[in-house]
DNA sequence: CCTGAGTCATCAGTCCAGCTTATGTCCTCA
DNA sequence: TGAGGACATAAGCTGGACTGATGACTCAGG
């Protein structure tokens, strides 16, 4: 039942990628710091596990089979996710002597920052980053106290005492399970319908909730209905929607995978501007320099509203 | 150096997700088929490895810490990639009694099919799928020989003897390393410039190459310059571009990760329609039924040109 | 032809990570 | 106050993965 028994472990996947890149078991082994027999055995084990030959061995080297090419590309996805994990985890470990201290809102820390950190690492391998995640107020406090060099917040305004620049936008989307009647609508949802429907929402005070309330209020003074369910985390809300409990309004950053896998369906909405800016922020007058400036450059060159 | 030593293995990540979902070490352990002490030890090991407390234990159960929430979300990315890997690998194993036999072009098999298979599995858990990857001709041959139930091809036309439906589009994009002068251009690239520049390309005969040639020819009869480098796989071409060898034209499906991580930069092009249709195909008159129809439904509801 | 430098496979032996079983501690609830 | 659930700890086992040595094979060059 558990996935781990059917999918090779990370070491084996890295080995496969190295073999694909270097064209030789022995060289791949050396790169990973193991011996050639270990690599040979490991690759053999992976092929036995998958029931498919991945590599064509010859006395002149090794090449991927057709199946091997496919498997290698799928493996690369896993390894890239692992790299993002590693970059995030290293930042989270947060040693005090870190040269770049970042404070970020939860959504940005979860979905955007790991990718930025991977990119930063290829550009500045020696920059140690520490990460602190919290809400906008906490981010502002850290910056003003000099405990962070650069902050990232989502929301409608820049906290007082800070300067900032918009680095992208986060759209809130209405989602349901594919079985929900809304998933078969042809016409977009109206603001009135949305306001009148009990939704699955984060607790009051969350950024998502604020934006939704503000957007409905701006649009003819509507007030959202009492929530169907109030949950503490985005993940819990997603799970509730997937299981068919009802519709919800969630950041598009959080639901890419679910939309792709058709576990969730986006419902178009008319006339309700459910966007919020994503901003990099810093104490007024202290424009980012050094590694903070590098990181800022990475974030700006890729708008987050793709 | 190797990633595997710094990232917990898949089993540990699954355990973390289960704990987050179930709120108890013991229940999570039972779900994964291990004992509670094993789960306890494993979680402790993971926390030691990351240097961060992930779970708050109490005699009434376990909840994630703030850091735990972040780590769990990053872990979920890895596990989802592993699910896609698993779905693809099972199909590749291709037992003869598979109820649904799919033949797909390389690009679709690599980048789109695993996601579809994961979705199909939640919808029809008992459908065994087998996968055969090859070029358009091979896909057509398998279908006409009755050796496959459903095919997927990318390209300009439907192979003779087959019916089909467009399920999305694949855009070819011009990419360079971020250091390349083109990355700093303001104006889009003209067709003439593109045609005049030696590029890193797949070998002649590949689908990518055909589309590029056709698009340039259609646009004022231009012919592409001699390639700078001819490589056998998309992956090799990507690697060459990333390392700064020169610009290339690659399917956008293949470079999502690289664009996000700023290892590659997309260069806008004026007036050259580098699109190709992605089609599901089947033998004329044999409209898909049963599981093939289910799979087709999944692919159509999510256009691949997002 | 040999020979040396590559490749990969096989074998035997060691070692450790992770498992299980058994038990202890703490809290909560009836 | 005792039962039950949740987690931790301890002891012992086992299998998987590693190393190091060796052998088979191919190719290029004297």
């Amino acid at each position: 039942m558990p996935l781990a028994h059917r999918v090779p472990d990370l070491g084996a996947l890295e080995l496969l990628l190295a073999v694909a890149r270097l064209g030789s078991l022995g060289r791949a082994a050396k790169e990973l710091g193991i011996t050639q027999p270990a690599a040979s055995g490991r690759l053999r084990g992976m092929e036995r596990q998958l029931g498919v030959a991945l590599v064509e061995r010859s006395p002149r080297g090794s090449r991927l089979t057709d199946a091997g090419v496919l498997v290698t590309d799928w493996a690369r996805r896993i390894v890239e996710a692992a790299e993002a994990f590693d970059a995030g985890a290293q930042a989270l470990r947060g040693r005090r002597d870190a040269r770049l201290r970042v404070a970020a809102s939860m959504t940005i820390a979860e979905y955007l920052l790991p990718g930025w950190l991977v990119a930063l690492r290829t550009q500045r391998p020696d920059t140690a980053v520490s990460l602190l995640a919290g809400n906008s107020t906490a981010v502002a406090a850290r910056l003003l106290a000099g405990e962070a060099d650069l902050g990232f917040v989502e929301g409608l305004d820049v906290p007082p005492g800070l300067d900032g620049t918009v680095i992208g936008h986060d759209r809130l989307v209405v989602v349901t399970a594919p079985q929900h009647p809304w998933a078969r609508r042809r016409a977009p949802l109206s603001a009135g319908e949305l306001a009148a429907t009990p939704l699955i929402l984060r607790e009051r005070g969350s950024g998502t909730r604020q934006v939704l309330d503000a957007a409905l209020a701006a649009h003819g003074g509507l007030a959202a209905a009492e929530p169907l369910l109030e949950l503490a985390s985005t993940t819990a809300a997603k799970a509730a929607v997937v299981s068919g409990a009802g519709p919800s309004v969630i950041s598009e950053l959080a639901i890419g995978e679910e939309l792709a896998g058709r576990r969730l369906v986006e419902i178009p909405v008319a006339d309700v501007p459910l966007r919020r800016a994503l901003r990099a922020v810093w104490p007024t007058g202290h424009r980012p320099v050094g590694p903070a400036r590098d990181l800022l450059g990475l974030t700006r060159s890729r708008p987050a509203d793709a």
Side-chain angles (χ1 to χ4, degrees), chain A:
Chain A
M1 176 67 63
L3 206 50
H5 294 157
R6 285 173 299 157
V7 177
D9 62 53
L10 272 173
L13 299 179
E14 278 189 285
L15 174 63
L16 179 61
L17 294 187
V19 170
R21 183 157 37 82
L22 300 172
S24 149
L25 277 190
R27 277 201 292 276
K30 186 177 294 181
E31 184 175 86
L32 298 193
I34 61 178
T35 60
Q36 172 267 321
S40 174
R42 212 156 182 188
L43 200 59
R44 171 175 304 283
M46 182 159 40
E47 289 179 319
R48 192 172 41 74
Q49 183 181 25
L50 299 179
V52 175
L54 301 174
V55 166
E56 240 176 36
R57 285 145 251 232
S58 86
R60 306 172 35 211
S62 297
R63 296 229 80 70
L64 293 179
T65 62
D66 289 350
V69 171
L70 275 181
V71 169
T72 302
D73 268 291
W74 298 334
R76 188 169 293 111
R77 300 299 189 90
I78 301 181
V79 171
E80 280 167 359
E83 278 170 6
F85 181 106
D86 181 43
Q90 272 188 28
L92 208 53
R93 191 149 40 228
R95 309 192 320 285
R96 279 296 138 259
D97 62 340
R99 282 184 48 219
L100 174 56
R101 299 161 302 166
V102 174
S105 74
M106 216 53 176
T107 302
I108 292 176
E110 273 180 28
Y111 296 104
L112 296 175
L113 206 59
W116 295 340
L117 293 181
V118 170
L120 183 66
R121 200 145 74 177
T122 70
Q123 195 170 310
R124 302 265 170 159
D126 298 329
T127 298
V129 179
S130 80
L131 166 63
L132 198 133
N135 60 26
S136 297
T137 319
V139 170
R142 295 286 167 169
L143 287 169
L144 293 171
E147 291 168 13
D149 307 307
L150 187 62
F152 292 98
V153 298
E154 68 243 8
L156 302 170
D157 43 14
V158 179
L162 301 183
D163 271 358
T165 179
V166 173
I167 57 169
H169 288 90
D170 178 24
R171 206 163 47 91
L172 298 183
V173 298
V174 177
V175 291
T176 69
Q179 301 81 28
H180 194 278
W182 282 3
R184 270 179 290 281
R185 288 175 61 103
R186 303 191 156 269
L189 212 59
S190 75
E193 282 176 299
L194 183 59
T197 307
L199 300 172
I200 297 168
L201 290 176
R202 296 279 306 277
E203 78 286 3
R204 188 169 300 275
S206 76
T208 304
R209 189 82 175 264
Q210 286 177 355
V211 172
L212 176 62
D213 288 341
L216 287 175
H219 188 85
L222 293 167
E226 269 309 293
L228 182 63
L229 215 55
E230 275 194 344
L231 296 169
S233 80
T234 303
T235 306
K238 272 199 295 189
V241 178
V242 169
S243 73
S248 179
V249 175
I250 302 184
S251 159
E252 65 175 350
L253 293 172
I255 53 170
E257 306 286 342
E258 282 76 10
L259 291 180
R262 288 283 292 169
R263 294 188 292 282
L264 292 179
V265 181
E266 177 178 350
I267 312 298
V269 178
D271 298 333
V272 187
L274 291 171
R275 293 186 113 216
R276 54 182 176 175
L278 305 179
R279 284 190 175 83
V281 292
W282 52 85
T284 304
H286 290 65
R287 289 203 75 82
V289 293
R293 190 158 173 279
D294 297 337
L295 179 56
L296 187 54
L298 286 173
T299 64
R300 272 203 291 212
S301 37
R302 184 189 57 124
D305 52 354

